[in-house]
Amino acid sequence: DALGYNCWLGYHKLDNSRLIKEYVKWCKNIIRSEDSDVINTALDELKNGIHGLLDINPIISVEPVMKAYLSIGTFSENDTLDALLETEEKEETGEEGFIIKLAETDEESILIIAGKTEKGLLYGVFSFIRAIQTQNNLENIFGIEKPANQLRILNHWDNLDGSIERGYAGKSIFFNNNKVIRKSDRIRDYARLLASMGINGTVINNVNVLKFETRLITSAYLPDVARLADLFREYGIRLYLSINFASPMELGGLPTADPLDEGVREWWKKKIEEIYSYIPDFGGFLVKADSENRPGPFTYNRNHADGANMLAKALKGHSGIVIWRCFVYNCMQDWRDYSVDRAKAAYDNFMPLDGKFDENVLLQIKNGPMDFQVREPVSTLFGGLRETNQVMEFQITQEYTGQQKHLCWLVPMWKEILDFDTYAKGKNTFVKRIVNGSVFENKYSGIAGVANIGDEANWTGFQLAQANLYGFGRLAWNPDLTSEQITEEWVRRTYSNNSEVVNIISEMLLSSWKIYESYTSPLGIGWMVNPNHHFGPNVDGYEYDKWGTYHRADLRGIGVDRTSASGTGYAGQYNKEVEEGYQDAGTCPEELLLFFHHIPYNYKLKSGETLIQYIYNSHFKGVEQAIDLKNKWLSLKGMVGEELFNHVKGRLEGQIEYSKEWRDVINTYFFRKTGIDDEQGRKIY
Ligand code: GCW
């Protein structure tokens, strides 16, 4: 696996004979009495894991053939396991959690991995393997774990022609040439990767649903889609589809898609019945409506709740859900108009509808109010909405964060967002507690990530970008994990348990987001990228455009005034305690200063630097740090596989060149605007 195809699931023999001995005691015999697809998946994984890591071939049996053994199953179906567990333990695992414990009798020693459901068991098996892989002693692995979030779902922006919107790792693994790909190996391997992190849902097609994608819900495609659902089901993953709101017109030939029209409602009802006849556990729909020119209820003077509820009613009897996206804003803005603010749009559109959505509707909200920039404040809908199911949308694919050509590990950013205090119900109303449904006791809630994978040999283009997929999955399972825990796990599983390798790659990952931030757009202002493909610097690329993405730089200052007193008023959408910090430049966190305020270049930052000098300094420093990333990597020569070593080295060299381009374009732009020299007299063009 020279290229990293197996990601963190390549099982190599542990370099620790003491530990091997400790585990081998129970792993020579696996007891399994239940039979189902998911249980078979779990068993296979366990067998392979034990074989690879401990170098033994376990005997699989229904009754034990040894005195010490490993017993796996669901305690809801398996009486023997049921009898070995305490009532409280069984309650604590919930629907998708698991327990790992040791039960000793005079005769026998039983290592138990069990869940209430087979999904829980599968996650338990993966967790057991992870513990061995990362060299945990046996006693460290006992306990009960369950996912914090109910919905842990990946969104794929894959099109039927095989292209991937904002994909940087090749073509789709699901579609090609307007057909569903028949060969299943790769898709199964992908399902396995997802299940290993506890992902339980996947949307296979792009939220922009065009001509061919619209037809995924017709008999021309449903048998093929059902095969994908079968593959994912073996790994405990439910399949969802993005749909076109105008389907009744485009597929059904109806004159309207008005959600309150009887014919339209009837059409969707029948359509949904048809889908469930192919896929009995179909998850539901993801909908981008009235957003960036996609059709939606607005055409008929209806609102988002009318649209979402119409679909929700038809899905309800099948236990399906509607995930309705909140990425709704005016994409035909006039840059001359200072009164409109795209950042305000999601809140303006959806707050009035709080409490108006059916119980099986979830609003999927991007983490920030703009669009996955390297730095944004938290969306005001988190902490605003109180009576609506909410899903966090993160972008794993690095559209604005280096497109898998720059190293940018996103977990520290996601952690800041999840740990953000919204004050919605007083202090400590963290975003992560809103999206896990606990603050407002939502029936449904969760975390979605826009996938960063494609058909390249290492899945993510840049092999180190696998860490973003891994980190997303781990945080969706447990947002309380620290960034350090996640890097350490990932490096140990992917590369090796060698402490130098672990330390160096961890340091690289942990520092990479801030490095990328320092040489790109400063202090929360965002954008400054080339239009359309969004790669590389272009300070005015979106300045005079219709997308609502401005920095408002002139010869005196830069930034968007979003205060209530003199600006767009966006800051006022937050709860009082949060708002107070943002309204005043003096208390505004500096990393977001230009997001909230228009600031003169000679403004003094807390460090004592002026704003203009900070821009120069951070851009020079960012390039030095990018060089340092490469040097760190070079110190690992001989400690990681040669092909991977060269691949990563190549990407990091590319990053250095790109970072210089960013530095020079940004510094030159501001030097020319202001005429202010760099205090250190460094080269600016
Ligand atoms: O970030 C923007 C992207 C679009 C994307 C859109 C969205 C899928 O540039 O490519 O469309 O957001 O999230 O809907």
Side-chain angles (χ1 to χ4, degrees):
D1 188 28
L3 297 170
Y5 181 81
N6 289 324
C7 300
W8 49 91
L9 298 180
Y11 300 139
H12 307 295
K13 189 176 170 190
L14 278 195
D15 184 17
N16 184 333
S17 47
R18 183 193 53 75
L19 213 59
I20 294 187
K21 219 169 134 216
E22 185 173 334
Y23 281 102
V24 161
K25 177 172 175 199
W26 291 272
C27 291
K28 282 188 286 198
N29 184 196
I30 304 173
I31 308 303
R32 177 286 301 259
S33 59
E34 298 156 75
D35 194 13
S36 79
D37 287 347
V38 176
I39 292 196
N40 288 334
T41 304
L43 181 66
D44 278 347
E45 199 65 40
L46 191 57
K47 258 189 340 202
N48 290 338
I50 289 174
H51 176 71
L53 295 163
L54 307 178
D55 199 20
I56 55 168
N57 280 313
I59 301 169
I60 316 297
S61 55
V62 175
E63 296 292 335
V65 297
M66 300 196 177
K67 291 284 172 230
Y69 57 89
L70 191 57
S71 180
I72 66 167
T74 65
F75 52 77
S76 52
E77 298 287 327
N78 179 324
D79 294 340
T80 322
L81 282 176
D82 189 49
L84 289 167
L85 300 171
E86 314 286 335
T87 312
E88 305 83 74
E89 291 175 331
K90 288 182 271 195
E91 275 164 11
E92 225 189 291
T93 63
E95 285 303 306
E96 296 192 348
F98 57 84
I99 175 163
I100 302 181
K101 78 171 219 179
L102 204 56
E104 312 244 42
T105 66
D106 293 345
E107 305 280 279
E108 297 184 314
S109 177
I110 316 166
L111 184 55
I112 298 170
I113 308 178
K116 175 176 172 190
T117 60
E118 46 186 32
K119 272 193 210 183
L121 166 66
L122 179 64
Y123 302 145
V125 163
F126 274 117
S127 170
F128 178 72
I129 292 172
R130 181 180 70 237
I132 304 181
Q133 260 182 316
T134 53
Q135 303 216 10
N136 279 278
N137 291 327
L138 188 64
E139 75 250 24
N140 287 342
I141 72 171
F142 297 134
I144 295 173
E145 243 197 76
K146 63 176 175 200
N149 292 293
Q150 179 193 32
L151 199 65
R152 304 175 301 280
I153 190 168
L154 281 172
N155 293 182
H156 297 89
W157 288 353
D158 291 24
N159 302 316
L160 266 277
D161 65 3
S163 61
I164 303 178
E165 184 155 348
R166 311 308 176 188
Y168 311 105
K171 296 264 185 202
S172 172
I173 63 166
F174 304 129
F175 311 119
N176 183 21
N177 209 3
N178 295 323
K179 293 198 182 70
V180 177
I181 289 177
R182 286 268 159 93
K183 212 166 163 306
S184 55
D185 309 15
R186 181 128 205 190
I187 301 169
R188 182 173 283 108
D189 289 343
Y190 183 54
R192 174 176 172 241
L193 282 177
L194 298 191
S196 76
M197 309 179 284
I199 297 295
N200 63 1
T202 178
V203 188
I204 56 171
N205 66 308
N206 189 356
V207 290
N208 290 323
V209 185
L210 305 179
K211 185 169 148 204
F212 285 98
E213 294 77 19
T214 302
R215 298 180 193 160
L216 278 173
I217 54 172
T218 67
S219 57
Y221 284 102
L222 278 169
D224 286 326
V225 175
R227 277 188 309 96
L228 292 185
D230 293 343
L231 281 177
F232 279 113
R233 187 179 305 109
E234 288 174 28
Y235 288 85
I237 298 165
R238 280 175 97 172
L239 185 138
Y240 298 71
L241 290 171
S242 300
I243 53 114
N244 179 344
F245 196 79
S247 296
M249 301 164 78
E250 287 186 28
L251 299 174
L254 301 192
T256 172
D258 179 353
L260 300 193
D261 179 273
E262 259 322 305
V264 169
R265 298 172 87 91
E266 197 43 40
W267 187 88
W268 277 113
K269 199 165 155 271
K270 290 235 168 65
K271 181 48 74 187
I272 287 167
E273 274 162 17
E274 185 188 353
I275 298 172
Y276 278 90
S277 74
Y278 287 93
I279 310 168
D281 61 347
F282 179 65
F285 295 149
L286 175 64
V287 194
K288 172 173 178 177
D290 289 312
S291 163
E292 300 187 329
N293 308 314
R294 301 313 303 142
F298 285 2
T299 314
Y300 314 98
N301 282 322
R302 313 296 183 198
N303 63 33
H304 291 284
D306 296 326
N309 292 344
M310 178 269 294
L311 296 170
K313 288 195 171 64
L315 283 160
K316 191 161 183 213
H318 307 276
S319 309
I321 58 174
V322 176
I323 309 173
W324 193 271
R325 293 179 84 234
C326 294
F327 188 57
V328 173
Y329 66 99
N330 176 3
C331 65
M332 297 293 278
Q333 208 183 308
D334 183 343
W335 59 271
R336 285 159 286 221
D337 183 349
Y338 278 53
S339 70
V340 183
D341 182 2
R342 169 167 163 179
K344 291 169 73 180
Y347 188 96
D348 287 347
N349 272 285
F350 287 93
M351 270 312 282
L353 300 175
D354 192 18
K356 303 227 157 62
F357 291 94
D358 281 9
E359 158 184 280
N360 57 334
V361 174
L362 301 85
L363 294 189
Q364 183 167 305
I365 306 160
K366 290 191 183 188
N367 61 262
M370 295 297 277
D371 192 7
F372 299 134
Q373 300 304 293
V374 66
R375 174 77 67 173
E376 285 187 44
V378 167
S379 164
T380 46
L381 284 174
F382 295 116
L385 296 170
R386 282 160 186 272
E387 295 172 78
T388 305
N389 300 320
Q390 294 162 62
V391 178
M392 168 64 76
E393 180 176 318
F394 286 137
Q395 194 183 42
I396 312 170
T397 191
Q398 293 171 242
E399 177 177 1
Y400 294 99
T401 50
Q403 305 198 351
Q404 279 124 268
K405 291 195 168 69
H406 296 241
L407 180 63
C408 188
W409 193 54
L410 297 165
V411 166
M413 171 170 100
W414 296 332
K415 284 286 294 177
E416 281 192 18
I417 293 157
L418 291 166
D419 288 341
F420 183 77
D421 194 348
T422 66
Y423 283 85
K425 263 190 165 183
K427 206 172 160 33
N428 298 340
T429 314
F430 303 115
V431 169
K432 64 186 169 191
R433 308 271 177 259
I434 293 176
V435 301
N436 76 11
S438 61
V439 172
F440 298 115
E441 293 173 15
N442 303 90
K443 172 145 190 205
Y444 295 100
S445 60
I447 304 197
V450 181
N452 62 346
I453 65 112
D455 70 355
E456 286 203 4
N458 65 15
W459 301 93
T460 49
F462 189 172
Q463 186 272 338
L464 289 178
Q466 290 176 0
N468 278 327
L469 182 62
Y470 184 77
F472 169 80
R474 295 293 286 140
L475 281 185
W477 178 274
N478 178 7
D480 292 327
L481 290 172
T482 65
S483 299
E484 289 77 9
Q485 280 171 312
I486 298 174
T487 49
E488 178 171 345
E489 265 182 21
W490 182 77
V491 182
R492 285 174 178 273
R493 302 182 74 182
T494 306
Y495 281 93
S496 92
N497 281 297
N498 174 311
S499 60
E500 211 170 320
V501 176
V502 173
N503 291 340
I504 297 225
I505 302 181
S506 294
E507 274 172 36
M508 291 172 64
L509 292 175
L510 287 163
S511 58
S512 59
W513 168 47
K514 296 221 165 137
I515 294 175
Y516 182 80
E517 180 180 27
S518 68
Y519 60 71
T520 55
S521 70
L523 301 180
I525 192 69
W527 309 99
M528 300 192 176
V529 289
N530 283 303
N532 306 318
H533 61 71
H534 299 163
F535 190 75
N538 185 342
V539 183
D540 286 338
Y542 276 116
E543 192 56 16
Y544 306 104
D545 217 325
K546 61 189 177 194
W547 299 94
T549 46
Y550 316 118
H551 55 66
R552 311 280 193 210
D554 59 22
L555 79 166
R556 289 181 201 87
I558 173 180
V560 181
D561 184 349
R562 292 192 160 102
T563 63
S564 303
S566 52
T568 70
Y570 168 77
Q573 289 183 344
Y574 288 96
N575 291 313
K576 203 171 95 286
E577 294 84 343
V578 179
E579 173 193 342
E580 280 168 1
Y582 290 147
Q583 295 278 15
D584 185 302
T587 56
C588 181
E590 276 185 349
E591 65 274 13
L592 288 169
L593 191 61
L594 303 180
F595 188 93
F596 285 101
H597 300 275
H598 188 84
I599 299 288
Y601 296 110
N602 60 7
Y603 178 92
K604 274 251 162 51
L605 297 174
K606 295 192 183 88
S607 61
E609 298 159 287
T610 58
L611 172 61
I612 187 72
Q613 192 56 42
Y614 168 83
I615 293 176
Y616 296 151
N617 288 347
S618 60
H619 285 75
F620 283 113
K621 185 157 165 233
V623 172
E624 282 163 27
Q625 289 175 313
I627 295 170
D628 190 47
L629 282 176
K630 184 188 135 195
N631 289 334
K632 286 207 166 87
W633 183 257
L634 292 182
S635 74
L636 296 178
K637 192 168 171 67
M639 285 187 257
V640 305
E642 198 178 334
E643 257 181 273
L644 268 185
F645 178 82
N646 289 329
H647 156 77
V648 172
K649 177 169 161 266
R651 292 272 159 150
L652 294 173
E653 281 164 356
Q655 177 173 359
I656 293 171
E657 294 315 306
Y658 297 129
S659 71
K660 288 180 184 161
E661 175 79 1
W662 268 101
R663 175 195 66 194
D664 293 337
V665 170
I666 299 276
N667 282 347
T668 301
Y669 179 94
F670 287 102
F671 174 65
R672 290 183 183 173
K673 273 252 140 129
T674 64
I676 303 175
D677 288 323
D678 169 37
E679 283 169 1
Q680 298 186 40
R682 289 163 292 194
K683 179 81 185 154
I684 296 179
Y685 297 84

